[in-house]
Amino acid sequence: MKCGLSLDVRDIDETTINIDPIQVGGRLTADAMKAVIAYGDGYSVCDNCRKPNRLDMIKSPPIDAFHRDLAAFVNMDEARVVPGARRAFQAVAGTYIEKGDPVLLTALSHYTEFLSVEAYGGVPLEIQKSSENIITADAAGEKIDSVKREYGRPPKLLYVDHFDYQFGNEHEVKGIIKVAKQNDIPVLYNGAYTVGIMPVDGRDLGADFVVGSAHKSMASPAPSGVIAVTKERAEEVFRTTKAQADLTKRTFGIKEVEMMGCTLMGVTLVGMMASFPHVRERVKHWDCHLSNGRMIVDALLAIDGTTVKSEYPRKHSLTRIDTTGSFDTVARTHKKRGFFLTSALKEKGIAGTIPGATKVWKFNTYGMTDAQARYTAKAFQDIALQNGLIVLR
Amino acid sequence: MSKRAVDSVFQAMFLLTDLRVILRDTAPVHELDESRQAMVARTLAELEEQVKVIRKEMVG
């Protein structure tokens, strides 16, 4: 079936259980799908834009109220919607980083955080991870001291991911933020894998900036995200234009420089808004999602030779698993080689793994129903048994 | 053409969206329990009503 001439219908989530590490938290709710139908046209939220002509002040649809709700959702003072978490990194970097400034990231930071530092001439420096792939407050403190010795000043900014994209491990964000604050370093909390799937309280954490990815974790179309900040930081990151054109003498109202004026002017924003009531509710049920994920991880670990690379017991639904000693031993002699696992999963209606991967790979169980979680756990073990592996029950 | 037809077209698409979500929630085997079967039956009945309105308004 086609959408128009050349686009195949994408029905992966209707026909399979999708365990793609980055896709599951961004799947739309029914209400978001309906909003997408109604608001698909370009600047669709601008029908009732009135002076002072800024996205976050539009009352119909209630975008102004949504911004307040977003800030409250992560317990911060002000929020803006952005085209993905990366654009929030860019806004913060653009506000604070000058050429040559040392900026702290971590050994597990996402590449877009590095790019945002590079874009403004900052020097990205990593906090070391532990042998268990955890970023600790102690390691942050040591790195801050090291930067102060080398640069004669503290880092200009610190980015920390609550859960990282590589292992889905939880890092000592509260302790790291505390150490940063003791050194007057503003902190960007990267909640790409938390905001929208589990409760996040930015004020309790002590963050200056809370960043979320709506297309990753808030059941929204891409690209979409949120940046929420303290009142003090709002004046800086959300500063308004002071520019005046030299020939025409035009000025540009109260457009915000780092936001490049208005950000999400259509389907992405209404998708976020339509999903939001459900997202606000679903974070209360994070334990259920985690429990399903743990069951599937345990089912995999029961396959002899399988180990988990992520911290264990799991604290997140994103997991890095090592099947070198199990599924990869099958791949060595199987006629489909490494593709046997993807193929076997596909036959059972499970999708989202990297084709050919049988050694170390990631999956995310977020959003499954209980029945789907049980089905997935059994499917992995059935594939193991069908291929001569031992399953320890 | 009428506002009624427009409303019914949207409503029909929204009802189909509800069915789409049921397909997602029950993938890959799509075995529906009694509660979901009842929901599908109700949704289809409402959809048929909307289609009737569309036919009346747009075909005559």
Side-chain angles (χ1 to χ4, degrees), chain A residues 231-307:
Chain A
K231 191 174 181 180
E232 176 199 4
R233 298 298 178 189
E235 292 171 9
E236 298 162 353
V237 179
F238 302 148
R239 66 192 180 281
T240 54
T241 175
K242 302 283 186 293
Q244 183 174 38
D246 64 336
L247 297 179
T248 60
K249 305 299 178 196
R250 287 176 298 153
T251 56
F252 306 99
I254 57 167
K255 299 292 190 194
E256 293 169 337
V257 177
E258 292 295 346
M259 297 297 107
M260 291 295 289
C262 299
T263 52
L264 309 183
M265 292 85 85
V267 71
T268 44
L269 176 55
V270 294
M272 277 182 84
M273 291 172 65
S275 277
F276 187 65
H278 306 284
V279 166
R280 197 160 45 185
E281 182 61 25
R282 79 184 191 180
V283 299
K284 299 173 189 167
H285 306 290
W286 167 238
D287 285 352
C288 301
H289 293 282
L290 188 56
S291 170
N292 279 338
R294 285 176 171 173
M295 176 179 65
I296 292 165
V297 170
D298 287 344
L300 277 162
L301 290 177
I303 300 168
D304 194 28
T306 301
T307 60

Side-chain angles (χ1 to χ4, degrees), chain A residues 31-48:
Chain A
D31 284 346
M33 290 179 188
K34 294 170 188 176
V36 166
I37 289 170
Y39 282 83
D41 298 323
Y43 287 100
S44 58
V45 302
C46 305
D47 296 335
N48 298 299

Side-chain angles (χ1 to χ4, degrees), chain A residues 13-17 27 30 33-34 37-38 348-349 369 372 375, chain B residues 10 13-14 17-18 20-21 23-30 36:
Chain A
D13 288 288
E14 287 74 19
T15 56
T16 66
I17 297 172
R27 286 176 296 201
M33 290 179 188
K34 294 170 188 176
I37 289 170
K348 291 185 178 298
T369 63
Q372 287 173 323
Y375 178 93
Chain B
F10 275 113
M13 289 192 286
F14 295 165
T17 298
D18 292 332
R20 182 183 178 189
V21 171
L23 288 172
R24 286 184 165 212
D25 287 344
T26 57
V29 290
H30 299 133
R36 281 201 172 98

Side-chain angles (χ1 to χ4, degrees), chain A residues 8-327:
Chain A
D8 287 325
V9 163
R10 179 177 181 274
D11 59 3
I12 185 171
D13 288 288
E14 287 74 19
T15 56
T16 66
I17 297 172
N18 186 357
I19 57 172
D20 188 297
I22 62 171
Q23 290 185 335
V24 294
R27 286 176 296 201
L28 302 188
T29 60
D31 284 346
M33 290 179 188
K34 294 170 188 176
V36 166
I37 289 170
Y39 282 83
D41 298 323
Y43 287 100
S44 58
V45 302
C46 305
D47 296 335
N48 298 299
C49 181
R50 304 285 181 264
K51 283 187 176 179
N53 303 106
R54 206 171 77 191
L55 183 75
D56 59 297
M57 295 178 174
I58 292 174
K59 295 190 184 312
S60 176
I63 298 170
D64 58 344
F66 177 60
H67 278 76
R68 291 193 293 276
D69 290 346
L70 269 181
F73 178 56
V74 290
N75 200 14
M76 298 293 276
D77 295 319
E78 283 200 45
R80 298 288 184 274
V81 293
V82 286
R86 63 193 67 196
R87 294 298 180 184
F89 305 152
Q90 197 174 38
V92 175
T95 301
Y96 298 100
I97 298 174
E98 293 172 27
K99 192 172 171 53
D101 280 344
V103 178
L104 282 194
L105 303 116
T106 80
L108 294 169
S109 289
H110 194 256
Y111 80 94
T112 53
E113 297 173 319
F114 282 85
L115 296 189
S116 71
V117 175
E118 182 180 2
Y120 295 96
V123 182
L125 301 165
E126 293 173 299
I127 301 169
Q128 186 57 281
K129 60 189 172 75
S130 71
S131 56
E132 291 82 30
N133 297 307
I134 303 291
I135 309 297
T136 66
D138 286 345
E142 286 166 19
K143 189 71 178 190
I144 290 168
D145 289 342
S146 149
V147 171
K148 284 162 74 176
R149 281 195 301 275
E150 187 179 344
Y151 287 81
R153 56 193 160 121
K156 199 65 168 287
L157 192 62
L158 186 152
Y159 295 60
V160 61
D161 300 14
H162 192 165
F163 286 83
D164 69 88
Y165 74 99
Q166 293 190 42
F167 296 92
N169 286 354
E170 183 173 28
H171 306 292
E172 295 178 7
V173 282
K174 197 163 183 179
I176 292 167
I177 292 172
K178 187 178 176 188
V179 173
K181 291 290 160 185
Q182 288 164 353
N183 288 274
D184 297 323
I185 305 166
V187 179
L188 183 155
Y189 167 96
N190 179 3
Y193 282 95
T194 56
V195 175
I197 64 168
M198 68 175 78
V200 171
D201 185 330
R203 196 177 310 277
D204 179 60
L205 291 167
D208 295 86
F209 320 97
V210 171
V211 173
S213 171
H215 58 251
K216 188 169 275 155
S217 298
M218 297 176 75
S220 304
S224 57
V226 57
I227 174 171
V229 306
T230 60
K231 191 174 181 180
E232 176 199 4
R233 298 298 178 189
E235 292 171 9
E236 298 162 353
V237 179
F238 302 148
R239 66 192 180 281
T240 54
T241 175
K242 302 283 186 293
Q244 183 174 38
D246 64 336
L247 297 179
T248 60
K249 305 299 178 196
R250 287 176 298 153
T251 56
F252 306 99
I254 57 167
K255 299 292 190 194
E256 293 169 337
V257 177
E258 292 295 346
M259 297 297 107
M260 291 295 289
C262 299
T263 52
L264 309 183
M265 292 85 85
V267 71
T268 44
L269 176 55
V270 294
M272 277 182 84
M273 291 172 65
S275 277
F276 187 65
H278 306 284
V279 166
R280 197 160 45 185
E281 182 61 25
R282 79 184 191 180
V283 299
K284 299 173 189 167
H285 306 290
W286 167 238
D287 285 352
C288 301
H289 293 282
L290 188 56
S291 170
N292 279 338
R294 285 176 171 173
M295 176 179 65
I296 292 165
V297 170
D298 287 344
L300 277 162
L301 290 177
I303 300 168
D304 194 28
T306 301
T307 60
V308 63
K309 291 285 193 186
S310 304
E311 64 182 332
Y312 185 85
R314 299 297 304 123
K315 296 178 183 172
H316 200 280
S317 55
L318 168 68
T319 295
R320 191 180 187 95
I321 201 88
D322 186 347
T323 53
T324 308
S326 55
F327 289 128

